[in-house]
Amino acid sequence: MTTKSLQELSELCRSERLAYKKCCNYVSETDNESLRVALGKLANGHKQRYETLCCYLEKN
């Protein structure tokens, strides 16, 4: 894998981490239960992608 590809994957990893943190923050700030559930699902998706990307980067 090229250095450029690794850098791009690293940037994706950082973006997923930031998106996860933002979703978690929004969950804690809303009183609307259906919105909390939807944001929680989004947060979980971002967390899974973050962990997948980090594991891949550690192997390379």
Side-chain angles (χ1 to χ4, degrees):
M1 182 169 292
T2 66
T3 301
K4 182 175 177 158
S5 294
L6 288 173
Q7 289 172 338
E8 290 171 351
L9 287 173
S10 181
E11 180 60 33
L12 280 173
C13 190
R14 284 189 293 274
S15 295
E16 289 294 341
R17 181 174 173 233
L18 178 61
Y20 169 71
K21 286 184 174 186
K22 284 183 176 184
C23 284
C24 289
N25 187 44
Y26 295 144
V27 165
S28 69
E29 291 182 357
T30 186
D31 294 331
N32 182 318
E33 186 59 31
S34 61
L35 185 56
R36 291 180 109 196
V37 170
L39 287 168
K41 288 179 182 179
L42 284 173
N44 288 336
H46 287 298
K47 183 179 180 182
Q48 287 178 327
R49 285 186 292 278
Y50 168 76
E51 290 173 348
T52 300
L53 285 166
C54 287
C55 287
Y56 183 79
L57 287 170
E58 287 174 0
K59 292 178 183 178
N60 290 301

